[in-house]
Amino acid sequence: MRIPRACLAVLFVVFGVKAEEVRISVLATTDLHGNLMPYDYYTARPVDRGLAKIASLIQEARSQNPNSLLIDCGDTIQGTSLESVHQEYIETGHLPLNLAFSGQPLERDPMMLAMNDIGYDVMVVGNHEFNFGLKNLAKARSAAAFPWISANIGLSPGATVKPFAPYFVKTIAGIKIAVIGITTPSIPDWESEEHYHGYRFEDGVEAARRVVAEVRQREHPDIVIVAAHSGLDRDPDKLATPTGNSRENVIYQTATEVKGIDAIVFGHTHQQVAELKLGDVLLMQPKNWGMSLGRMDFVLDRAASGGWKIISKNSRLVPVTAATPADAKVLEIGRPYHELAERYLNTRIADAPVSLDARLARIQDTALLDAVQQVQLFYAKADVSFASAFNTRVAIPKGPVTVREIAALYVYENELYTVEGTGKMVREALENAARYFQTCSGDCSHGPLINRQVIGYNYDMAQGVDYEIDLTRPVGERIRNLRWHGQPLLDAQPLRVAVNNYRSGGSAGYTTFRGAKIVWRSGDEIRDLVIRYYIEHKVLPVKPDDNWRIVPEVARRTLEKEASPE
C-alpha cells in the first residue's frame, strides 16, 4: 500500500524523520548505587535523584519515541542503606542490629524489582556488584528479568559460577542493535578473592576488540553499542592528557582503538558527559545516583545494499529536577525496604559531646575524619591509617547519635586492609593525595586552589603521622615535616598501614600500595566497623589532634572560601 504524500509530510513534521528513516533512542543510567527512592538516607531529606524519578523520565522518552532500548551500566545493588540492609539480610539471614520484621522476609533485590517494572533491557556488571560476595550477586541477578552482561568477565578453569553473556541483541522497528558489555578489570585489586572466585577479568580493550568483531560477523547488527562500567581516563576537555588510570578506565582507548563501534555509553567515575565524539564514535556518560537519564538518538536510512545505515547520531542528558515526578509503582516497590532502612538508621548508638561537621574536612584536620581514622587504627592494629572525607555534608549535633549519622561518615562498602608498608610508601601516598590541590601562585590569596580533575573522595589524609602540605611546591614535592612518634619518618621505616581495599589495589594513583603484602583483611565493611566501634565506645571524638595542616596559612584560608560540600 502506498502512503499518500500528505501523510508522509505529517510523519516528517511529527517525528522529524522521513518515512523511509527510522529513529532509535538508547536510554541509559549508570552508578545508581541503590538510589531507588528520591531520598538521602544520611540527611533524611528528599532529593532530586533516584530510580523512581528516572522512571518518569524514561516514560516520557518512550512516549516521544517508542523505538527505544534501556541500558544500565552497573554499580546498581550497592550504595544506599535501602540496599545495605537488604544485602546484610541476604548474606547473614538476619537484619542488622537484630531488628525485628513482622512481614515476609524481603528476599528479592529492590533495585532489580524496580528495574523489572520499568522495563530495562540489559545491565552491565559493575565492580560494586561483587561487594557482598557471590551469593548476594547471584541472588540479585536471579531477581532480574533482564540479562547481566560483560564481555571481559570469563570463567576460571573448573568454575561453578554462572557465566555472563558478552553481549545482548535486540531488534527494534526492524533495526538490529547489539550491546556489548565491558566491566572495569580491576576488581581483583579491590575485592577479596572469595568475592569473585571462579571469575577471571580480561583487559577491557582487548575484550571489546574481540567481541565487536565477533558480533559484526555473527549477528550483522545495524548499530553496535559498547555499554561499559569503566571511565574515560581523561578530562573530556583535555583529551590529550590521561589521568593515569588507563587499566581501570578504558573508554578512551576503546573508542580510539577498536573498530566497528558506533557508540559507547559508560559510567564508573561518577562524572557526566552529555556528548563527545572521538572519530566516528559517539560517547555519553549519565550522572551517577539517578541524577540524569542519558539519551542517544540514532537516525537510520536504507542502505544501497538493502540494509540500514546510520545517517545521524547525537546524545544528551536529561536531568532529574524538583519538577520531575516520582513513579508511584516504583515508590511502592521500594516502600517496605525503605521502611526497614529507616528503622535501622534511626537506632541510637552513641553520643556526641560537641557539635561536629565535615564541611572543611579536606582543608583541615577534623574530629569527624579522626573518628574514622581511630576506628581503622583500632581494628587494623596499624601504625598509620589513610582515609578520605567521602561526605563533606555530614553534620552531627551535640547529643544522641544514631546509626544514620555514623553511617554518613562512610558511604561506601569498602573493606579495611592492613598492608606491610614503609615510610616511603606513606610519603608517596601523601604526595599523590596532595594532587587534589593546585600549586599556589603569587601570595596564595587567590584561587582556585582545588584541582577539580582530582575527585574529592580520592584525596586521602593520614593518621598516625604528622605532616604539612606545602602548596607553594610543585606536585610530588609538597609533603614537609613528615614525622612519626615525634621523629622524622625515614623511608625505610617498617609500618603497618591501614587502607581500604581500593587503595590497596592502587586505585586513584595510589600505586605505591599495589603489590604490598596484605597481612589482615576485615571481612566486614568499614562503615560497619565504624558503627560497631561507636556502639562499644559510646562517645565520638571531641576535637581533632591537628596532625596535618596546609601551608602557607593564607592558602588554607583561600581554600576555606573555595570548599563546597559534596
Side-chain angles (χ1 to χ4, degrees):
M1 182 182 74
R2 291 178 63 101
I3 300 175
R5 286 184 176 273
C7 293
L8 291 175
V10 171
L11 285 170
F12 180 76
V13 170
V14 173
F15 295 105
V17 295
K18 298 176 184 177
E20 64 268 33
E21 294 175 353
V22 175
R23 183 186 299 274
I24 299 293
S25 295
V26 175
L27 310 176
T29 54
T30 190
D31 296 271
L32 289 168
H33 284 288
N35 281 273
L36 191 156
M37 312 294 271
Y39 183 77
D40 186 324
Y41 285 94
Y42 301 120
T43 63
R45 295 175 181 172
V47 286
D48 297 326
R49 65 176 186 241
L51 194 53
K53 286 203 168 199
I54 286 287
S56 296
L57 297 183
I58 291 168
Q59 184 177 8
E60 181 180 1
R62 285 170 171 164
S63 71
Q64 295 168 357
N65 184 13
N67 299 329
S68 61
L69 181 77
L70 180 57
I71 301 169
D72 183 70
C73 290
D75 275 9
T76 309
I77 66 169
Q78 169 277 336
T80 65
S81 296
L82 176 142
E83 269 288 351
S84 297
V85 170
H86 166 73
Q87 293 294 348
E88 181 165 335
Y89 174 78
I90 296 301
E91 184 176 11
T92 66
H94 59 77
L95 294 169
L97 299 180
N98 292 313
L99 287 173
F101 181 56
S102 58
Q104 293 296 316
L106 305 181
E107 292 281 353
R108 294 194 294 169
D109 186 276
M111 292 296 288
M112 296 301 102
L113 295 181
M115 291 165 72
N116 290 345
D117 183 76
I118 293 167
Y120 273 78
D121 291 290
V122 65
M123 173 182 142
V124 181
V125 183
N127 56 286
H128 280 286
E129 267 65 73
F130 291 87
N131 278 172
F132 306 100
L134 293 174
K135 173 186 174 182
N136 291 47
L137 182 151
K139 190 78 173 178
R141 186 182 181 187
S142 69
F146 45 88
W148 290 20
I149 64 171
S150 181
N152 65 315
I153 302 180
L155 298 185
S156 303
T160 59
V161 291
K162 183 180 177 182
F164 298 105
Y167 62 88
F168 168 81
V169 176
K170 185 172 183 178
T171 299
I172 301 173
I175 307 298
K176 182 180 278 192
I177 307 161
V179 181
I180 297 163
I182 296 293
T183 303
T184 179
S186 299
I187 290 164
D189 294 335
W190 302 329
E191 295 290 336
S192 54
E193 199 272 341
E194 61 268 23
H195 281 193
Y196 62 86
H197 182 73
Y199 290 111
R200 59 177 179 81
F201 300 86
E202 182 186 353
D203 175 78
V205 180
E206 291 306 312
R209 183 178 288 113
R210 184 187 73 254
V211 177
V212 167
E214 175 187 332
V215 167
R216 285 285 187 189
Q217 183 176 24
R218 178 182 296 177
E219 305 287 350
H220 305 289
D222 302 299
I223 303 174
V224 172
I225 296 169
V226 168
H229 191 80
S230 185
L232 190 61
D233 184 39
R234 55 202 68 206
D235 187 324
D237 298 323
K238 300 177 181 178
L239 291 171
T241 308
T243 62
N245 294 322
S246 59
R247 179 172 177 271
E248 175 183 347
N249 298 312
V250 301
I251 298 308
Y252 181 85
Q253 300 95 310
T254 303
T256 56
E257 298 175 16
V258 178
K259 303 300 182 184
I261 299 172
D262 295 308
I264 301 176
V265 56
F266 63 101
H268 182 55
T269 56
H270 292 202
Q271 305 299 296
Q272 61 181 356
V273 178
E275 183 178 71
L276 176 65
K277 291 184 178 178
L278 295 176
D280 195 42
V281 182
L282 175 66
L283 286 82
M284 176 186 72
Q285 181 180 17
K287 195 73 177 81
N288 58 293
W289 297 356
M291 288 191 272
S292 69
L293 175 70
R295 176 171 176 170
M296 287 180 166
D297 286 301
F298 299 83
V299 176
L300 297 93
D301 198 357
R302 285 288 184 183
S305 61
W308 295 91
K309 63 178 180 179
I310 299 171
I311 59 174
S312 71
K313 54 188 174 183
N314 58 75
S315 65
R316 60 191 174 96
L317 301 181
V318 185
V320 169
T321 69
T324 306
D327 182 89
K329 181 67 178 297
V330 174
L331 291 176
E332 183 59 25
I333 289 169
R335 181 185 56 77
Y337 299 87
H338 171 78
E339 290 174 353
L340 269 179
E342 283 291 278
R343 287 176 55 203
Y344 167 65
L345 291 167
N346 287 330
T347 305
R348 176 182 175 178
I349 59 172
D351 288 282
V354 296
S355 296
L356 303 168
D357 75 76
R359 186 178 65 86
L360 297 177
R362 295 173 185 158
I363 309 304
Q364 62 188 35
D365 196 16
T366 59
L368 280 181
L369 193 63
D370 280 3
V372 175
Q373 302 277 30
Q374 190 171 305
V375 172
Q376 295 191 167
L377 288 168
F378 177 83
Y379 286 108
K381 296 180 172 58
D383 302 301
V384 180
S385 169
F386 281 84
S388 173
F390 288 133
N391 183 0
T392 56
R393 294 183 183 274
V394 177
I396 297 179
K398 178 181 178 180
V401 180
T402 63
V403 171
R404 186 191 312 277
E405 291 162 314
I406 293 292
L409 296 175
Y410 211 102
V411 297
Y412 295 108
E413 264 77 15
N414 299 337
E415 290 187 5
L416 182 62
Y417 288 6
T418 306
V419 301
E420 285 188 353
T422 62
K424 180 182 179 184
M425 186 181 291
V426 169
R427 182 184 298 276
E428 288 176 345
L430 289 173
E431 290 287 5
N432 179 68
R435 295 183 303 114
Y436 179 68
F437 303 106
Q438 304 277 17
T439 302
C440 277
S441 58
D443 63 359
C444 301
S445 61
H446 295 87
L449 292 183
I450 293 176
N451 179 6
R452 298 297 177 183
Q453 294 186 40
V454 177
I455 302 171
Y457 59 66
N458 285 331
Y459 166 53
D460 279 13
M461 289 141 277
Q463 190 74 13
V465 290
D466 297 279
Y467 62 98
E468 296 174 337
I469 305 172
D470 187 349
L471 299 193
T472 67
R473 304 293 300 162
V475 169
E477 301 176 14
R478 291 176 169 173
I479 303 304
R480 289 179 18 189
N481 298 323
L482 179 59
R483 304 175 76 82
W484 182 59
H485 289 184
Q487 300 297 318
L489 179 60
L490 302 178
D491 280 356
Q493 174 65 51
L495 296 167
R496 286 173 60 97
V497 182
V499 292
N500 68 42
N501 54 311
Y502 286 88
R503 295 294 183 260
S504 174
S507 68
Y510 291 88
T511 54
T512 188
F513 294 128
R514 185 180 295 156
K517 183 179 179 180
I518 300 169
V519 295
W520 178 81
R521 289 182 170 93
S522 65
D524 294 310
E525 284 119 23
I526 294 173
R527 180 173 60 226
D528 291 337
L529 295 178
V530 174
I531 292 168
R532 182 189 309 165
Y533 182 91
Y534 288 105
I535 287 175
E536 295 173 356
H537 290 77
K538 304 299 184 186
V539 180
L540 271 65
V542 175
K543 60 182 180 180
D545 65 355
D546 295 322
N547 69 300
W548 66 272
R549 65 190 183 106
I550 291 170
V551 295
E553 178 68 17
V554 65
R556 185 185 63 79
R557 292 197 298 268
T558 302
L559 283 164
E560 286 180 2
K561 299 173 186 176
E562 192 177 339
S564 58
E566 292 181 10

